[in-house]
Amino acid sequence: MKKIFKKIKTMLASLSFRTGVIVLVMCIPCYVISFAQAALDTSVETKAVLWTVFFGLAKIFQYGGLTILGAEGAKRVKRYLKCKCYSGLR
């Protein structure tokens, strides 16, 4: 099992920075849907299943995107967001 996870991690890490950012951004709609479905007029069981599926997808996208980006890519995204946030305040 350890070999399989290592192989998947190596494959994901070989993908491009842009792909990592796209995968990471995909977690946002999944988080929104997972919590917004609580407002639907459906049964509790349906809400639980929808929450589990979409929250799980959000976590998969989040950790997959971070694995693709790696430590340096995550620092690069933080630097980009920090510059955008400060430039909007001026």
Side-chain angles (χ1 to χ4, degrees), residues 39-55:
L40 295 176
D41 191 26
T42 58
S43 67
V44 175
E45 294 83 14
T46 306
K47 288 180 183 182
V49 169
L50 287 173
W51 185 84
T52 303
V53 168
F54 284 108
F55 193 78

Side-chain angles (χ1 to χ4, degrees), residues 26-27 30-31 34 53-63:
M26 288 296 296
C27 75
C30 289
Y31 277 126
S34 71
V53 168
F54 284 108
F55 193 78
L57 280 173
K59 285 298 182 183
I60 289 171
F61 284 134
Q62 179 182 355
Y63 292 129

Side-chain angles (χ1 to χ4, degrees), residues 5 12 19 29 58:
F5 285 132
L12 288 175
T19 304

Side-chain angles (χ1 to χ4, degrees), residues 6-19:
K6 199 171 235 183
K7 195 173 186 178
I8 291 171
K9 183 179 176 186
T10 305
M11 183 195 69
L12 288 175
S14 68
L15 295 172
S16 72
F17 176 79
R18 185 176 180 178
T19 304

